[in-house]
Structures are given as structure tokens and as C-alpha cells.
């Protein structure tokens, strides 16, 4: 059987080559920290909930992939997968490794996906909906008594972030899985379910608990058996083995007060503290993957090989990372470590941008480079179809 995706040219993908060619230089331009001003004080690090505001590049390195239909027209890497030994909180800058010890970013580099994991958990839930196992409108307590504190909460509330639950809880501070489950189940919604949207990790942790309860299988097996293995996503998994570490992009020098744990440079294990406490398998974070594997996932969603319900799990109309594609019906998601995916169901185009923006430390990163890459893809789609096709030999 022919592979679902192949590397090809922009004309073969129906994309304007000049616009796609702008993406990589744009990423190269954000790889270096701002130059220090002579005589100026070191950058402040007052807000350690997000990290330093300056003295830090947008990312150490990135992998970008763009395509349309069955053709991947762009798949390139820039910068470094591992650049820093540590973070110096006094200067607000990373302590760089010697050049010989740095690891360059490569197209096949594996990334901690962070919240892109939510898309896989949501897709696993939608698979159970389509199989008739779950009803998104049925109260969760009808499936699992005691799963949530408010008996009105449904799966749709979880997957649309309208459950009323707060964004997160310090579950990593609790001693074991039973204590974490009890704390999650006791959490009361702030507004009642359905009243407003508040993005929350807790929603996907509860989705994980529901899936595991109704199927009797752990989340990592559900995702492997139902999504990654059938699609041939061989570089996607929770809790990657030690021999994957040389292929994985490093994340953060995780220490208090900016981090919630004192772990040093995180490299090869999940960055998210709650997922780390759950042995790396969590509904909201924990998956590791490559840009090519995510392209396989995107293609499967766009072609119907996987069920796609855009309002369940996926973000919609988010120009801050989708650029102009947000106004065309695009869907997607971002991850705290610097990952993002954008799908345009109307054209069949997809954009994957994986960056280690938290290496060597979390910071107020913004999403300008993501939005600019999406803008290039939007313009590449907007060229007259005749002119693009004329370039095909």
C-alpha cells in the first residue's frame, strides 16, 4: 500500500513556492536572544510564573512542516535541539553548551508535545462516541459515579472546555494516583457547566479517566491501538525509552521558583509537572512525536481516516497562532513547550511547527512566529490556481 504522504514540491501541493519559502527564514530570525545593551542592568526575572520577559530567544530551534492533500511541500529544521546546559536566573540568559556538545535540530527530532496531547485524547473520545460507547450529552456520572463533583457535567463540556473547572490543580504535590483521582473528582466548577469557556487541563484529565473507565484500557494503549499504530506513527508515544533521548529536543532547566519541581534540565522526560507525576501518561500532556508523524495525524483527520468533530478538542478561530487561516475555518492547537498544529479543512492544508521555546526556561514567548508561518501558508493557498498549476512540469 502506498504511503499516505509523500515529499513533493509546492506546485505539486497546489501551494505558491515563494510564500512557503518565507517560512524558514522567519524562524531563523528568532533563534538568537536580543543583544545586551552596554551598561544596562541585567533583565529582570520578577514574574517567575512565566519566566523572564527578555534576554531569551523565541526558541532554541524548530522543525516546520507544511503540506496540502497528500504532499508535504516543506519539512525543515533550524537551530538546536539541545543548546543550553542550564539557565542563569541572575543574568536572565541560558548557559550555553560548548559548540561541540550542542545537538542540532533535525527534521526527525522528537518533541514533547505538551498540550497537543489533548488532541489525541479528544480523538480517542470521539472514536468512542462514533462507536456508540459514549454519548457526549449524557452526564458523566451515568458512566462513572463519583467521577465529577457536578452531576450535570457531560463529555461535551469537557471537550469544549465549558465544564467550569479551573485551568489546573497542583496534582503533582499529592502522594499517589488515588489521591490525585479523589482531588480531581472533588473539584467543584466555578461557573456551572455550560455557562462559559475556560481552558483547563482538568477537562482532559477527566476525559482520560472516563475513557479508561468505560474501555478498561489505559490511555496510552487506547491512543496507540486506535491512532498511532494504524497510522504508522512510529515516533509517537508516551514515556519515550532512554534510547530515544539523543533524538529528543530538550526543554527546561526546571527549578523553583519558576518551575513547580526541582528537576534540572528536562530532556527525554515530560516537562509538565502533573504529567510527570503520572509516569508521563496523562490526558492533557505527555505525548512525544515528530513533525512527520503529526502530518500523518493531520492527513488522517482531514481525509476522514480519523473522525474529526472540530468543536471537540480542537481550538477554532484563533488568529494569534493561526493567522489569517483562523478566518477560513481552520482548527488546531498549541502546546506550552512550543508546539502547534493548524489544519485547514476547506483546502486540505496543514502546518506543523514544533519548537523548544522553553529551552532553557519558560518565558513570555508569544506566538508571533506561529502566526507569521500560518500567514505564509494562507497566502500560498490564495495564489490563483492556474498560476500554481502552470509551474508543474
Amino acid at each position: 500500500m502506498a504511503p499516505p504522504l509523500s515529499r513533493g514540491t509546492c506546485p505539486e501541493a497546489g501551494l505558491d513556492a515563494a510564500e512557503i519559502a518565507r517560512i524558514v527564514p522567519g524562524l531563523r530570525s528568532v533563534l538568537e536572544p536580543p543583544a545586551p545593551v552596554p551598561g544596562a542592568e541585567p533583565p529582570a526575572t520578577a514574574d517567575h510564573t512565566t519566566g523572564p520577559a527578555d534576554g531569551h530567544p523565541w526558541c532554541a530551534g524548530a522543525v516546520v512542516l507544511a503540506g496540502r492533500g497528500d504532499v508535504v511541500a516543506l519539512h525543515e529544521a533550524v537551530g538546536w535541539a539541545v543548546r543550553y546546559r542550564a539557565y542563569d536566573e541572575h543574568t536572565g540568559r541560558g548557559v550555553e553548551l560548548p559548540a561541540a556538545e550542542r545537538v542540532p535540530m533535525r527534521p526527525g527530532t522528537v518533541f514533547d508535545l505538551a498540550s497537543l496531547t489533548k488532541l489525541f485524547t479528544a480523538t480517542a473520545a470521539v472514536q468512542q462516541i462514533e462507536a456508540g460507547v459514549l454519548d457526549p450529552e449524557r452526564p458523566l456520572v451515568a458512566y462513572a459515579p463519583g467521577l465529577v463533583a457536578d452531576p450535570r457535567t457531560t463529555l461535551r463540556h469537557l471537550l469544549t472546555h465549558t465544564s467550569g473547572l479551573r485551568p489546573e490543580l497542583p496534582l503533582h504535590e499529592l502522594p499517589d494516583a488515588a489521591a490525585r483521582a479523589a482531588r480531581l473528582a472533588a473539584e467543584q466548577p466555578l461557573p456551572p457547566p455550560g455557562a462559559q469557556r475556560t481552558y483547563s487541563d482538568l477537562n482532559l484529565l477527566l476525559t482520560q479517566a472516563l475513557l479508561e473507565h468505560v474501555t478498561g484500557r489505559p490511555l496510552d494503549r487506547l491512543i496507540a491501538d486506535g491512532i498511532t499504530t494504524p497510522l504508522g506513527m512510529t515516533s509517537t508515544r508516551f514515556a519515550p525509552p532512554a534510547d530515544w533521548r539523543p533524538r529528543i529536543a530538550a526543554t527546561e532547566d526546571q527549578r523553583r521558583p519558576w518551575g513547580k519541581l526541582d528537576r534540572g534540565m528536562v530532556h527525554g522526560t515530560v516537562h509538565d509537572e502533573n504529567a510527570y507525576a503520572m509516569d508521563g501518561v496523562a490526558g492533557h500532556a505527555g505525548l512525544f512525536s515528530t513533525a512527520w508523524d503529526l502530518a500523518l495525524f493531520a492527513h488522517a483527520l482531514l481525509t476522514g481516516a480519523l473522525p474529526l468533530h472540530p468543536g471537540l478538542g480542537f481550538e477554532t478561530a484563533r488568529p494569534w497562532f493561526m493567522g489569517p487561516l483562523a478566518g477560513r475555518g481552520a482548527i488546531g492547537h498549541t502546546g506550552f513547550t512550543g508546539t502547534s498544529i493548524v489544519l485547514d479543512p476547506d483546502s486540505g492544508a496543514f502546518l506543523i511547527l514544533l519548537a523548544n521555546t522553553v529551552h532553557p526556561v519558560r518565558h513570555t514567548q508569544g506566538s508571533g512566529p506561529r502566526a507569521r508561518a500560518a500567514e505564509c501558508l494562507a497566502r500560498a493557498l490564495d495564489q490563483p490556481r492556474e498560476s500554481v498549476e502552470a509551474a508543474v512540469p
Side-chain angles (χ1 to χ4, degrees), residues 44-269:
T45 57
D47 182 4
H48 278 112
T49 60
T50 56
D54 47 28
H56 194 285
W58 187 72
C59 66
V63 177
V64 63
L65 183 151
R68 185 182 190 186
D70 300 337
V71 179
V72 172
L74 172 69
H75 186 197
E76 292 192 32
V78 298
W80 303 97
V82 185
R83 177 174 178 173
Y84 302 99
R85 182 194 311 280
Y87 168 68
D88 186 340
E89 65 267 36
H90 302 294
T91 64
R93 293 178 178 267
V95 180
E96 299 205 50
L97 288 163
E101 295 180 27
R102 299 179 197 172
V103 179
M105 198 69 79
R106 297 181 174 90
T109 294
V110 176
F111 287 78
D112 178 342
L113 297 184
S115 284
L116 294 196
T117 303
K118 292 180 171 74
L119 299 183
F120 289 80
T121 305
T123 299
V126 170
Q127 287 177 322
Q128 296 302 317
I129 291 170
E130 296 214 335
V133 175
L134 292 173
D135 179 345
E137 316 302 339
R138 190 181 185 194
L140 298 176
V141 293
Y143 296 103
L147 182 68
V148 289
D150 193 311
R152 297 169 292 181
T153 307
T154 67
L155 178 57
R156 183 175 297 279
H157 291 139
L158 300 183
L159 297 182
T160 57
H161 294 285
T162 56
S163 66
L165 297 175
R166 71 181 74 190
E168 62 179 352
L169 287 170
L171 300 175
H172 59 278
E173 296 177 355
L174 300 176
D176 53 38
R180 289 190 290 271
R183 179 67 185 85
L184 191 58
E187 181 68 10
Q188 291 284 347
L190 302 176
Q196 71 180 48
R197 186 182 188 278
T198 301
Y199 181 85
S200 173
D201 288 350
L202 307 186
N203 290 320
L204 278 298
L205 285 168
L206 286 167
T207 302
Q208 173 187 5
L210 175 67
L211 286 169
E212 292 180 343
H213 179 82
V214 299
T215 67
R217 299 157 66 198
L219 180 67
D220 55 346
R221 288 313 323 157
L222 283 171
I223 289 176
D225 295 344
I227 302 174
T228 59
T229 299
L231 296 183
M233 298 173 66
T234 57
S235 293
T236 304
R237 61 166 293 167
F238 291 97
D243 61 4
W244 279 31
R245 190 173 185 269
R247 300 169 51 204
I248 297 175
T251 54
E252 184 181 32
D253 182 8
Q254 195 173 88
R255 290 179 279 132
R256 294 183 175 92
W258 58 87
K260 301 165 190 171
L261 296 172
D262 286 310
R263 299 169 60 196
M265 188 62 73
V266 179
H267 184 198
T269 56

Side-chain angles (χ1 to χ4, degrees), residues 4-28:
L5 288 175
S6 62
R7 188 73 162 87
T9 66
C10 287
E12 289 168 342
L15 297 170
D16 181 72
E19 293 297 342
I20 295 299
R22 299 177 191 273
I23 295 176
V24 171
L27 291 174
R28 287 202 178 101

Side-chain angles (χ1 to χ4, degrees), residues 17 35 45 51 55 94 212 231 251 267 278 292 295 313 315-316 328 333 367:
T45 57
E212 292 180 343
L231 296 183
T251 54
H267 184 198
M278 299 171 68
W292 189 271
E315 300 286 298
T316 60
R328 311 166 64 129
H333 215 285
S367 278

Side-chain angles (χ1 to χ4, degrees), residues 366-387:
S367 278
R370 293 182 178 118
R372 288 191 288 273
E375 183 176 2
C376 291
L377 179 57
R379 289 198 300 260
L381 288 165
D382 287 339
Q383 299 303 312
R385 184 75 185 182
E386 318 79 71
S387 65

